[in-house]
């Protein structure tokens, strides 16, 4: 898609880098709206090279949405997609949700998760103009949708598909998936894949050391130590995405 993807977030240092990389694959520009983070979110955004706007926590509910709409209006963006920091979307997911706006059949698309929460909202230039006119009355997506209905804009709701399936289940995308693992452009998948490789190599090394001991009564201690180290490292790599998600969730709810 062409246009702007806005990412309102708070205390999202563990996920925002990956989200920026994915958003760049789907849009011309990426805007991160930091809603009063106390962690290293701003530093990660700066390293990723995305545009950053920092807000104070006291700016109130809907401040991130207002800033995204205002930025799009100032820069005359023809398509704006607002994506929350707890919603992970691949490029094909974003393309599918934005398609009704891009082809002109809809002014505003609401993307909902499986549990019914709003995870992605897409607006064309007309919807951006109407939303920007609300000013401080734009307190969130609900106010935006209500204004759109009052103005007779065309609204459509779509379900955001969950990221299911494996590389083997999508043979047509295998080369790009392998490139993602090799370049860490898909950091979660890469961490799990490399972790599994480390564990496998570590187990083979440790088994070889023990087998040699059984055959010759000579224990290759170095091999056993290296194998154990590889297994431990692999387990840490494999589990790190889950640990990162858990820590991000704790920080988000605690406001730490």
């Amino acid at each position: 898609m062409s246009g702007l993807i806005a990412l309102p977030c708070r205390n999202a240092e563990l996920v925002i880098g990956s989200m920026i990389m994915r958003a760049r694959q789907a849009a011309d520009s990426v805007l991160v709206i930091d809603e009063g983070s106390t962690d290293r979110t701003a530093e990660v955004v700066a390293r990723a090279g995305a545009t950053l706007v920092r807000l104070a926590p006291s700016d109130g509910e809907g401040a991130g949405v207002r800033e995204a709409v205002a930025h799009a209006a100032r820069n005359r963006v023809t398509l704006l997609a607002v994506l929350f920091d707890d919603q992970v979307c691949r490029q094909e997911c974003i393309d599918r949700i934005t398609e009704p706006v891009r082809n002109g059949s809809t002014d505003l698309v609401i993307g909902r998760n499986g549990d019914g929460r709003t995870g992605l909202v897409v607006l064309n230039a007309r919807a951006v103009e109407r939303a920007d006119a609300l000013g401080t009355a734009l307190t969130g997506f609900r106010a935006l949708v209500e204004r759109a209905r009052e103005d007779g804009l065309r609204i459509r709701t779509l379900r955001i598909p969950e990221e299911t399936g494996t590389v083997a289940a999508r043979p047509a995308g295998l080369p790009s998936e392998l490139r993602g693992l090799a370049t860490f452009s898909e950091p979660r998948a890469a961490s799990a894949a490399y972790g599994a490789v480390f564990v496998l190599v570590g187990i083979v090394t440790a088994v070889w050391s023990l087998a040699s001991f059984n055959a010759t009564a000579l224990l290759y201690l170095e091999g056993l130590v290296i194998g154990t180290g590889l297994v431990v490292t692999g387990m840490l790599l494999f589990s790190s995405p889950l640990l990162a998600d858990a820590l991000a969730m704790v920080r988000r709810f605690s406001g730490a």
Side-chain angles (χ1 to χ4, degrees):
M1 61 167 272
S2 60
L4 169 71
I5 291 183
L7 305 173
C9 65
R10 184 168 186 266
N11 292 335
E13 64 173 312
L14 298 177
V15 297
I16 196 64
S18 176
M19 293 193 67
I20 291 172
M21 285 191 293
R22 290 191 174 199
R24 276 183 167 166
Q25 296 173 0
D28 296 331
S29 55
V30 180
L31 172 69
V32 177
I33 304 166
D34 185 352
E35 299 177 310
S37 294
T38 56
D39 63 359
R40 296 172 54 252
T41 294
E43 180 181 340
V44 175
V45 173
R47 289 181 178 179
T51 302
L52 174 66
V53 174
R54 305 192 72 172
L55 304 178
S58 59
D59 288 340
E61 184 180 359
V65 178
R66 286 196 299 273
E67 182 58 37
V69 168
H71 182 92
R74 288 194 303 269
N75 293 276
R76 298 184 178 180
V77 171
T78 57
L79 189 151
L80 168 65
V82 184
L83 182 66
F84 283 124
D85 65 348
D86 59 351
Q87 176 62 58
V88 179
C89 269
R90 293 184 182 273
Q91 179 178 353
E92 56 266 28
C93 163
I94 296 176
D95 288 344
R96 190 176 77 83
I97 300 296
T98 59
E99 174 61 23
V101 173
R102 287 186 287 115
N103 64 26
S105 63
T106 303
D107 299 305
L108 188 151
V109 173
I110 305 168
R112 296 196 185 279
N113 298 305
D115 58 5
R117 292 183 301 112
T118 299
L120 174 64
V121 172
V122 186
L123 304 85
N124 64 8
R126 184 183 177 197
V128 167
E129 180 184 354
R130 298 294 194 279
D132 188 47
L134 283 173
T136 56
L138 181 57
T139 56
F141 288 131
R142 182 173 298 179
L144 187 155
V145 173
E146 289 177 356
R147 177 58 182 267
R149 287 200 178 104
E150 291 174 359
D151 291 344
L153 298 186
R154 298 163 298 173
I155 303 173
R156 184 174 177 182
T157 300
L158 295 176
R159 185 177 182 276
I160 298 175
E162 296 181 1
E163 289 202 355
T164 57
T166 62
V167 173
R170 296 192 299 269
L174 183 59
S176 62
E177 293 286 357
L178 292 178
R179 285 196 300 272
L181 294 180
T183 62
F184 270 85
S185 62
E186 295 286 353
R188 293 169 181 269
S191 180
Y194 290 132
V197 171
F198 270 65
V199 170
L200 180 61
V201 173
I203 291 175
V204 170
T205 303
V207 169
W208 168 80
S209 178
L210 294 174
S212 299
F213 174 74
N214 291 334
T216 64
L218 294 175
L219 178 62
Y220 291 93
L221 185 60
E222 296 87 350
L224 185 61
V225 171
I226 292 173
T228 303
L230 287 172
V231 170
V232 172
T233 302
M235 292 178 66
L236 289 174
L237 281 172
F238 191 83
S239 61
S240 61
L242 296 177
L243 295 175
D245 285 343
L247 182 57
M249 185 175 296
V250 170
R251 288 190 172 186
R252 189 176 297 117
F253 283 107
S254 66

